[in-house]
Amino acid sequence: MPAPSPVRPFGALLTAMVTPMTDDGALDLEAAERLAVELVDAGHDGLVLNGTTGEAPTTSDREKADLVRVVVRALGGRALVLAGAGSNDTRHAVAMARHAAEAGADGLLAVTPYYSRPSQDGVVAHLSAVADAGDLPVMLYDVPARTGLRLSADSLRRLAEHPRITAIKDATQDPAAAFRLIHETGMAWYCGDDDLLLPYLSVGAVGLVSMAGHLVGEELARVIALAEAGEPEQAREVFRSVLPVIDLISGSGNGALRSKLALTLTGRIPGPAMRLPQLPAGEDETAAVGAALAAALGTP
């Protein structure tokens, strides 16, 4: 896999990692360490902790810092660790950014403020404040389906002028807009939706922040490498082979639940426990995911 560089500051393949939990809802830090090491062994350049897939809305600041600390220690510098610093309270987001740096994170994932729906000037001020909180490089996260707002082209151009804002995870599902903005901003563009990886790579994206990477990281890494090597037909062939897994993880609209359930059924984490308001999978969904895994991966 291509190493981190000014053009690709966070590498090519990152997975937004789930946060393993025990049946009583406590963080299972030992399982998190094991999972992080497995993912890096499978070709990941980095991991994103404390994002939506990691159930950040329901974990405390101390838990977030503990998770970053143990994963950074377990990886020993073999891959980058980005920590989510997402809140609609700017002071809280700044505090999370500082806690992540103290815990050893290599970078931050800063999502646009959700629910409050501030003006574009307010969004720029919020994200700039997170970037100003320390010395860590920042990957923006634009996901209007979750936040209720989208970064405007003007806001992105302004944010790109910040020396520590170097990349964006684009979950707008709009590769045509990305094509223009990659050129206009000079930021490193990362696809934020597994199923749109090929379209985003074709317009200049440099990598992927994945959920399906929990299960098919090696294959997704190969897709990116093949596309970069000028082998589009081979890239499409490999990508077609993992589409069933992408559909499995993304199909219900709850990627965290599906990822945890799939990891449990394949023996990678001890259990699929989640915190309210997320409910665990019921019997029907567990059976459906098990059958889909068997079909997609050939698991028993």
Side-chain angles (χ1 to χ4, degrees):
M1 284 299 296
S5 69
V7 174
R8 186 179 267 126
F10 300 107
L13 176 66
L14 304 93
T15 280
M17 198 178 92
V18 300
T19 301
M21 296 177 182
T22 61
D23 289 342
D24 61 359
L27 265 61
D28 189 338
L29 295 176
E30 291 184 2
E33 287 181 296
R34 291 194 300 271
L35 178 59
V37 170
E38 287 183 14
L39 291 172
V40 171
D41 287 345
H44 289 69
D45 298 304
L47 301 174
V48 177
L49 306 180
N50 299 323
T52 309
T53 306
E55 297 175 75
T58 58
T59 58
S60 70
D61 287 5
R62 176 175 290 183
E63 288 173 324
K64 289 179 175 65
D66 287 345
L67 180 64
V68 170
R69 191 173 294 110
V70 299
V71 169
V72 167
R73 183 181 62 209
L75 295 181
R78 294 196 300 128
L80 299 176
V81 174
L82 275 67
S87 175
N88 60 346
D89 174 356
T90 303
R91 290 176 299 177
H92 186 203
V94 166
M96 283 194 288
R98 291 173 176 158
H99 295 158
E102 292 167 1
D106 300 297
L108 301 172
L109 182 74
V111 71
T112 51
Y114 43 83
Y115 191 77
S116 302
R117 300 191 70 168
S119 67
Q120 288 291 319
D121 286 344
V123 175
V124 171
H126 172 95
L127 293 170
S128 297
V130 173
D132 288 338
D135 296 327
L136 294 181
V138 174
M139 177 187 287
L140 303 176
Y141 184 18
D142 195 5
V143 55
R146 290 188 180 275
T147 63
L149 61 84
R150 178 174 176 174
L151 282 166
S152 70
D154 180 64
S155 294
L156 284 165
R157 286 190 289 265
R158 292 161 63 191
L159 288 163
E161 295 176 0
H162 195 291
R164 284 185 290 280
I165 296 176
T166 60
I168 182 169
K169 175 186 176 183
D170 182 343
T172 65
Q173 302 184 342
D174 190 352
F179 178 67
R180 299 180 181 90
L181 289 164
I182 289 168
H183 173 72
E184 292 177 11
T185 66
M187 283 196 290
W189 226 262
Y190 288 80
C191 176
D193 293 289
D194 289 284
D195 58 343
L196 291 177
L197 174 58
L198 288 178
Y200 270 87
L201 290 175
S202 74
V203 300
V206 299
L208 170 68
V209 181
S210 176
M211 285 191 298
H214 283 106
L215 299 171
V216 288
E218 292 182 40
E219 292 85 350
L220 290 170
R222 188 160 177 247
V223 169
I224 298 168
L226 286 168
E228 185 170 64
E231 300 287 350
E233 292 185 10
Q234 292 185 46
R236 288 194 294 268
E237 182 179 344
V238 176
F239 189 71
R240 189 177 297 111
S241 74
V242 299
L243 272 175
V245 175
I246 292 172
D247 293 342
L248 163 67
I249 297 299
S250 304
S252 70
N254 191 330
L257 181 148
R258 286 287 182 95
S259 295
K260 276 192 167 181
L261 184 54
L263 288 167
T264 300
L265 292 173
T266 54
R268 307 269 301 285
I269 62 174
M274 303 184 76
R275 287 182 178 172
L276 288 171
Q278 300 284 11
L279 290 171
E283 291 183 4
D284 289 347
E285 185 162 25
T286 300
V289 169
L293 277 174
L297 300 176
T299 57

